[in-house]
Amino acid sequence: MTEYRSVTVERGQGGFGGPLTITPDSTRNKILYIVGGGMRPDVVDRICELSGAEAVNGFSTSIPDDEVFAAVIDCGGTLRCGLYPKKGIPTINVMPTGKTGPLAQFINETIYVSAVGSVQVRLADETETVFHEFGHALHS
């Protein structure tokens, strides 16, 4: 059985939102990445390494939203920026994009972080808030 660990994701230089502390569990244990060209960003590998989650390329396969604990995107300001926050899925954008696009009203600091690279991801400590149950925060 996989041991899952919480990770904290902070915004990079010029980024918006966060920090997000997220934890996969036995149901929500997939990192969905949807990036141009289908190339897996380094941040996906870093989150998998630290959290125990599994990466899924959203351009080559689909999975139910209730299996996704976080989405990694590379959106400069169109639909994808707000699509996953609207669904309550913590969203990590590798681009330095803030509240923009047709779903901007769903993008906020508690569910979205941008300008993220692998150096912005670390194991969470026990005092940080853990993201759970599609956007409901639990406090340690």
Side-chain angles (χ1 to χ4, degrees):
M1 185 168 163
T2 303
E3 178 186 338
Y4 297 110
R5 293 167 300 283
S6 298
V7 295
T8 297
V9 183
E10 297 179 341
R11 70 176 166 234
Q13 184 173 359
F16 172 84
L20 302 181
T21 298
I22 52 179
T23 308
D25 61 30
S26 61
T27 303
R28 295 186 207 290
N29 53 23
K30 311 269 189 314
I31 300 169
L32 183 67
Y33 65 96
I34 302 169
V35 297
M39 297 295 292
R40 183 154 89 187
D42 292 344
V43 66
V44 172
D45 292 332
R46 179 74 173 154
I47 293 170
C48 288
E49 172 191 343
L50 295 177
S51 72
E54 175 186 340
V56 175
N57 183 338
F59 280 140
S60 64
T61 190
S62 64
I63 59 172
D65 287 345
D66 63 359
E67 293 181 18
V68 179
F69 98 98
V72 174
I73 62 172
D74 68 342
C75 182
T78 59
L79 185 64
R80 277 182 288 154
C81 282
L83 183 63
Y84 297 100
K86 180 180 180 184
K87 294 179 176 189
I89 297 172
T91 303
I92 300 159
N93 194 345
V94 299
M95 305 283 287
T97 308
K99 293 181 75 146
T100 188
L103 299 175
Q105 71 267 26
F106 299 103
I107 298 171
N108 65 64
E109 296 87 350
T110 65
I111 197 162
Y112 178 89
V113 63
S114 68
V116 177
S118 58
V119 298
Q120 279 77 38
V121 179
R122 62 178 168 78
L123 280 174
D125 67 42
E126 293 179 13
T127 62
E128 293 176 292
T129 301
V130 177
F131 221 99
H132 188 71
E133 294 293 322
F134 266 66
H136 294 86
L138 302 174
H139 297 280
S140 304

